[in-house]
Amino acid sequence: MVHLAQIPTDEAISRPLVEGLEKLEIAPAQDNWFTTSVYGSKFASSALPKHEMPEEEMPKEIAYRMIKDDLSLDGNPMLNLASFVTTYMEKEVEDLMTESLSKNFIDYEEYPQSADIQNRCVSMIGRLFNAPTEAGAAAVGTSTIGSSEAIMLAVLAMKKRWQNQRRAAGKDVSSPNIVMSSAVQVCWEKAARYFEVEEKYVYCTKDRYVIDPEETVKLVDENTIGICVILGTTYTGEYEDAKAVNDLLIKNNIDTVIHIDAASGGFVAPFVVPNLEWDFRLEKVVSINTSGHKYGLVYPGVGWVVWRSPEYLPQELVFNINYLGADQSSFTLNFSKGAAQVIGQYYQLIRLGKHGYRVIMSNLTRTADYLSDSLHQLGFVIMSQKGGAGLPLVAFRLDQSANKYYDEFALAHQLRERGWIVPAYTMAPHAADLKMLRVVVREDFSKSRCDQLLADIKLCLQVLDDMDREQIKTREQYVKQHISNSHKARHGPHHYKNEKHSLQGKTGKTHAVC
């Protein structure tokens, strides 16, 4: 997901740093390119170019140092507990990926081994998801930039298959819909909007943060292209009950299919709860996506999508092309891309094996359970599951009966001052306006770091408890105006502010970070 950026006007560029004052410039330096050190050069006393390419070049050492200094203002990825995205890989695989940065993955003729490595990954991941492998089976899959692209492809395949069936029966194809939870990640809303599919939501409640299987099936009609079932929601990490939805569809003889959004859970559930039936073992499950750059343990961005058989990936969506001398079948929204992430995924699959993934995911689950129990002792209400019943994360909120003057967002801001990025969210619509905090337990989140986080949470609670209502209110206003990155950010052009077509625009729902 990439934000829109607005090209600033000349007037905006010339504005002073502080409104109402003159725009100041530093005194000109000697024409010294690079004689003493990086910070003795003329570039150290000049602003980095932001809006227009400079006329002259810059020495490579200075360009590196200036950009590195600029990036130092980013948060520390290891303390970013908001994201599922991998922040640690071994040096050996980093070297492999660096050596492959210049490879254009779609050039099969020049890089046949890289292409074959993708095929190996598809086979391994498909088998992990129990794709049919008996005689005559023909499960297919592909790599993507991430689960967002994988989901777009899956929705396209479901829609086209539904259209083909309807046209063959002489029926109308103008009103497709898809059934899904109101806790879906924003890419599902995008897929529905971009491909003109109506969204039919199963809304969360104050006590239920996933779909209700019976309510889900009741929403299905003749225009339903499929049902999205999430293996690990981004809010609470809970696994939605794919088997119950599958069994109800069969019991009621309803002709629709299930897509499993296993963006986060696809590399967790098979190792922590192998007996949980959510994948191709279920008759109605026809496609599954997962993110290699989440619990697949690869740096962003790589994702995967697998279909049960070619029946569920209509042929007219697949393009057979001859590019740079090699025939290939292509079903993708993206074309040129680097081979590094796919190679990184293959390294992890063969380096760790099933046992390696099993012990890592089990460790993460135990750490999450420890964190959950500790937060419960501190008085928080735990909203996530334990013991492998969901993703290795902890979703929690303040106990409303404690009558605190502050909310979860105030605690998140206080933790940010300690360096931790622990996001606060407003839950999915119809969930009684619940606010929550979420900590994602990733591979590099050890028990030692977990203890440091708990100590800082306790400290931040004490600081906030010592403030009165007026102090809390004043602090919140100050944070919104001067500290919050979301307030300072200027990524979104003003033309697109205050939209009312998304779940967030309609209900105020905060989309959880993936």
Side-chain angles (χ1 to χ4, degrees):
M1 188 191 313
V2 179
H3 61 259
L4 287 172
Q6 182 171 326
I7 299 172
T9 63
D10 293 338
E11 179 191 5
I13 293 173
S14 62
R15 288 175 188 156
L17 183 64
V18 179
E19 189 176 348
L21 300 181
E22 294 181 8
K23 184 169 184 179
L24 302 177
E25 298 290 348
I26 197 167
Q30 296 178 350
D31 192 13
N32 177 13
W33 278 66
F34 191 25
T35 56
T36 54
S37 73
V38 170
Y39 301 108
S41 72
K42 70 172 186 177
F43 300 100
S45 58
S46 303
L48 274 177
K50 294 182 179 179
H51 307 296
E52 189 168 337
M53 286 178 64
E55 289 294 334
E56 298 177 340
E57 65 271 25
M58 179 186 295
K60 60 182 184 293
E61 298 88 350
I62 294 180
Y64 170 81
R65 190 71 228 181
M66 293 292 103
I67 297 174
K68 184 178 177 68
D69 287 353
D70 217 25
L71 291 173
S72 68
L73 297 174
D74 275 344
N76 182 343
M78 286 190 168
L79 300 182
N80 177 10
L81 306 183
S83 177
F84 290 90
V85 173
T86 296
T87 52
Y88 165 79
M89 294 184 78
E90 293 172 330
K91 182 182 183 302
E92 289 76 9
V93 66
E94 289 181 339
D95 290 345
L96 266 179
M97 294 170 72
T98 300
E99 292 161 8
S100 303
L101 286 176
S102 61
K103 292 183 179 179
N104 188 359
F105 180 72
I106 53 85
D107 187 354
Y108 293 178
E109 184 71 15
E110 291 297 320
Y111 309 118
Q113 209 61 24
S114 295
D116 189 58
I117 282 176
Q118 179 207 246
N119 299 342
R120 299 176 198 177
C121 290
V122 168
S123 177
M124 291 179 186
I125 293 168
R127 288 171 180 270
L128 184 66
F129 297 165
N130 291 291
T133 55
E134 67 275 7
V140 293
T142 186
S143 65
T144 61
I145 296 299
S147 274
S148 291
E149 184 187 6
I151 286 165
M152 298 283 179
L153 298 178
V155 171
L156 272 175
M158 287 190 288
K159 180 183 177 182
K160 180 59 70 175
R161 179 176 177 271
W162 172 83
Q163 287 176 327
N164 290 346
Q165 289 180 324
R166 298 278 291 179
R167 287 193 177 109
K171 296 181 179 179
D172 178 66
V173 297
S174 63
S175 303
N177 67 64
I178 187 168
V179 178
M180 53 189 175
S181 167
S182 62
V184 290
Q185 210 271 344
V186 70
C187 63
W188 280 98
E189 291 188 67
K190 287 184 175 182
R193 189 64 45 80
Y194 296 168
F195 304 137
E196 298 182 318
V197 178
E198 177 193 357
E199 306 118 296
K200 297 181 76 172
Y201 289 112
V202 182
Y203 287 99
C204 300
T205 70
K206 65 177 182 178
D207 302 312
R208 173 178 54 77
Y209 313 127
V210 292
I211 58 171
D212 173 77
E214 292 191 1
E215 185 180 341
T216 300
V217 172
K218 286 178 181 177
L219 287 175
V220 174
D221 59 30
E222 65 177 0
N223 291 318
T224 300
I225 66 172
I227 298 171
C228 162
V229 176
I230 309 171
L231 189 73
T233 68
T234 55
Y235 287 101
T236 64
E238 190 173 349
Y239 298 147
E240 295 187 329
D241 195 342
K243 188 176 189 306
V245 175
N246 176 84
D247 293 349
L248 282 170
L249 291 175
I250 294 172
K251 177 182 176 182
N252 296 309
N253 196 28
I254 297 174
D255 183 22
T256 198
V257 298
I258 298 172
H259 173 86
I260 303 293
D261 181 359
S264 299
F267 281 100
V268 179
F271 303 110
V272 178
V273 282
N275 295 325
L276 179 68
E277 293 183 53
W278 61 272
D279 52 20
F280 290 117
R281 286 171 288 183
L282 302 178
E283 176 185 331
K284 291 290 185 176
V285 172
V286 300
S287 52
I288 302 172
N289 71 274
T290 193
S291 293
H293 58 232
K294 293 180 181 174
Y295 288 111
L297 307 181
V298 182
Y299 291 144
V302 62
W304 304 91
V305 59
V306 181
W307 286 270
R308 177 183 288 274
S309 74
E311 174 189 352
Y312 302 104
L313 175 52
Q315 186 174 11
E316 59 263 44
L317 292 176
V318 179
F319 288 80
N320 293 305
I321 54 181
N322 185 294
Y323 183 73
L324 300 179
D327 291 325
Q328 53 183 286
S329 297
S330 174
F331 181 40
T332 175
L333 300 180
N334 184 72
F335 200 57
S336 292
K337 66 176 181 179
Q341 266 62 29
V342 171
I343 291 168
Q345 183 73 82
Y346 184 59
Y347 174 94
Q348 295 291 52
L349 292 173
I350 67 170
R351 158 76 175 92
L352 297 173
K354 292 181 179 178
H355 180 264
Y357 271 96
R358 190 176 298 116
V359 296
I360 289 172
M361 299 308 157
S362 297
N363 261 355
L364 300 186
T365 300
R366 285 193 292 270
T367 302
D369 287 352
Y370 168 74
L371 177 59
S372 178
D373 291 339
S374 301
L375 289 170
H376 179 69
Q377 285 189 351
L378 288 175
F380 288 100
V381 176
I382 306 301
M383 302 169 68
S384 49
Q385 303 294 311
K386 290 175 52 182
L391 299 174
L393 63 78
V394 182
F396 57 105
R397 60 181 174 85
L398 295 168
D399 187 346
Q400 293 176 338
S401 65
N403 295 319
K404 301 285 188 182
Y405 292 147
Y406 53 88
D407 64 5
E408 289 77 2
F409 288 88
L411 178 56
H413 289 309
Q414 193 70 32
L415 283 167
R416 187 62 186 261
E417 293 187 9
R418 302 287 298 171
W420 300 101
I421 303 174
V422 177
Y425 300 113
T426 302
M427 260 297 285
H430 296 204
D433 297 323
L434 287 177
K435 298 175 184 176
M436 56 169 285
L437 295 137
R438 188 194 69 188
V439 171
V440 176
V441 178
R442 297 191 305 271
E443 182 183 8
D444 58 354
F445 189 73
S446 62
K447 181 181 180 297
S448 175
R449 191 173 299 160
C450 182
D451 286 337
Q452 292 173 335
L453 172 66
L454 286 166
D456 280 341
I457 289 176
K458 186 175 180 181
L459 175 63
C460 291
L461 287 173
Q462 291 171 346
V463 170
L464 291 169
D465 284 337
D466 288 341
M467 295 183 183
D468 59 30
R469 188 187 300 272
E470 195 58 36
Q471 287 175 312
I472 293 289
K473 184 178 179 180
T474 302
R475 175 177 170 73
E476 287 178 354
Q477 291 175 343
Y478 179 82
V479 166
K480 288 179 181 178
Q481 293 175 6
H482 302 289
I483 298 177
S484 173
N485 279 328
S486 62
H487 179 81
K488 289 195 300 182
R490 293 293 182 267
H491 302 317
H494 65 85
H495 304 82
Y496 302 103
K497 299 292 186 183
N498 302 317
E499 53 83 8
K500 298 297 181 184
H501 59 262
S502 69
L503 271 178
Q504 179 166 316
K506 293 174 182 176
T507 68
K509 162 190 175 179
T510 308
H511 280 292
V513 176
C514 285

